[in-house]
Amino acid sequence: MHNSKNSRTLQKTGDINMSRVVPSQIVEMIDQSFPDIGQRFSLPFNHETVGVLTAIVRLVGEIPTELLTISGADYSNLACGVEVVRNSAEFWQKSGRGETAQPGLRGKNALTLIREALVKCPDQMPTQSTAELLFVTDAELRESIRLDISGAFGALHRGDYKAATVLAGSAIEALLLWALQDRGLTSPPSGMATNPKGAPENWVLAQYIEVARTIGLIKQETGEQADRARDFRNLIHPGKAQRLAVSCDKGSALAALAGVELVARDLKP
């Protein structure tokens, strides 16, 4: 479905922001441009609609393959809807008519088929290289952490080092909190230097790291790396970054991601 010619055209003209296209953006575009599309059986092609309709088809072709998680009838409906809109737009442009109406397909207009398929697709998916984290028993939490890790690696590759650092730090925090709660810890062990108060969900990352290291959930080297990640993550606060005269860079992002990998390694049974 990906149209490489359209992709190159977009890149050359610069008319459209070449940021990552996700399904919800196209759904929103459809809803804004055709608010009553669900009540229409046929799809109108005229001077006002054809540009938007061809843009929708073009953008569908720009969706990353991993986000098209649908299959079976949903995927075939998407493919049919895209081809009907594309071919109808070409027919309208060649015919020179003022307006044509494309009859419905499978009881619905083609744009509705596209919309209904895209609504079922996610805007984010962990990359294949992201740790599985199967030891995290809460499936929803596991996927949330994996998305943070995947997002951190993606930000690193884009050169967005602050985002990579923050997302990696967030993943470390979530992993350690889950691990402490999974062990049934409801209060800190005795002899803690930071003496956290209350239950684990009320602590901060520094305390998660210290407690996890104290009770043997993570190794000493892992705790040290996680502390580095925590320090770098704290640089998102302008005051601290200014006082220390440092900022997030590729090194801080790599340090934070190393912390995530080490924590995940130690927590894995």
Side-chain angles (χ1 to χ4, degrees):
M1 292 178 59
H2 180 78
N3 190 316
S4 59
K5 180 179 179 181
N6 286 340
S7 176
R8 290 194 299 271
T9 301
L10 281 174
Q11 291 173 337
K12 288 179 180 179
T13 61
D15 290 338
I16 297 177
N17 184 354
M18 286 302 296
S19 61
R20 182 180 173 91
V21 177
V22 297
S24 67
Q25 293 173 330
I26 302 176
V27 171
E28 183 179 2
M29 183 178 181
I30 293 172
D31 290 345
Q32 290 178 346
S33 303
F34 302 91
D36 62 342
I37 194 62
Q39 286 73 52
R40 290 174 175 265
F41 176 70
S42 61
L43 195 59
F45 284 82
N46 54 49
H47 289 286
E48 294 181 355
T49 64
V50 72
V52 177
L53 290 168
T54 54
I56 289 170
V57 167
R58 179 179 296 180
L59 290 173
V60 170
E62 295 294 330
I63 297 175
T65 304
E66 67 269 18
L67 298 183
L68 294 177
T69 57
I70 52 177
S71 60
D74 292 324
Y75 191 84
S76 65
N77 283 345
L78 176 63
C80 289
V82 165
E83 293 306 317
V84 167
V85 172
R86 178 184 288 121
N87 292 332
S88 297
E90 291 177 355
F91 176 79
W92 178 86
Q93 291 167 337
K94 292 177 181 178
S95 68
R97 298 180 183 177
E99 178 170 333
T100 59
Q102 172 59 42
L105 177 69
R106 300 178 179 177
K108 300 175 182 178
N109 65 72
L111 199 58
T112 294
L113 292 178
I114 294 173
R115 186 191 183 284
E116 289 181 349
L118 294 181
V119 164
K120 299 178 181 180
C121 297
D123 284 350
Q124 298 183 77
M125 283 290 287
T127 60
Q128 293 182 351
S129 61
T130 300
E132 291 291 338
L133 305 180
L134 295 179
F135 56 86
V136 178
T137 53
D138 184 325
E140 185 175 351
L141 176 62
R142 179 172 63 245
E143 287 308 298
S144 175
I145 297 173
R146 293 186 71 227
L147 286 174
D148 278 351
I149 298 173
S150 181
F153 276 107
L156 172 68
H157 294 148
R158 295 192 305 272
D160 189 352
Y161 301 130
K162 178 180 287 187
T165 302
V166 171
L167 286 169
S170 176
I172 292 174
E173 187 168 14
L175 281 171
L176 291 178
L177 173 58
W178 170 83
L180 294 173
Q181 292 176 326
D182 186 62
R183 268 63 173 186
L185 200 70
T186 57
S187 60
S190 59
M192 296 293 301
T194 57
N195 192 28
K197 305 293 184 182
E201 57 266 25
N202 299 318
W203 303 350
V204 296
L205 179 54
Q207 293 165 334
Y208 294 146
I209 295 170
E210 183 183 359
V211 173
R213 188 163 38 194
T214 299
I215 65 177
L217 283 179
I218 59 175
K219 298 178 181 179
Q220 180 67 26
E221 65 180 32
T222 299
E224 293 172 356
Q225 191 66 39
D227 273 327
R228 295 188 188 99
R230 174 182 59 83
D231 289 339
F232 285 128
R233 190 187 69 162
N234 288 341
L235 293 176
I236 63 173
H237 304 295
K240 182 167 184 178
Q242 184 175 3
R243 289 194 304 274
L244 298 177
V246 292
S247 60
C248 293
D249 56 18
K250 187 174 183 179
S252 72
L254 289 170
L257 284 164
V260 173
E261 294 295 331
L262 289 173
V263 169
R265 178 202 67 184
D266 289 358
L267 294 181
K268 184 177 179 180

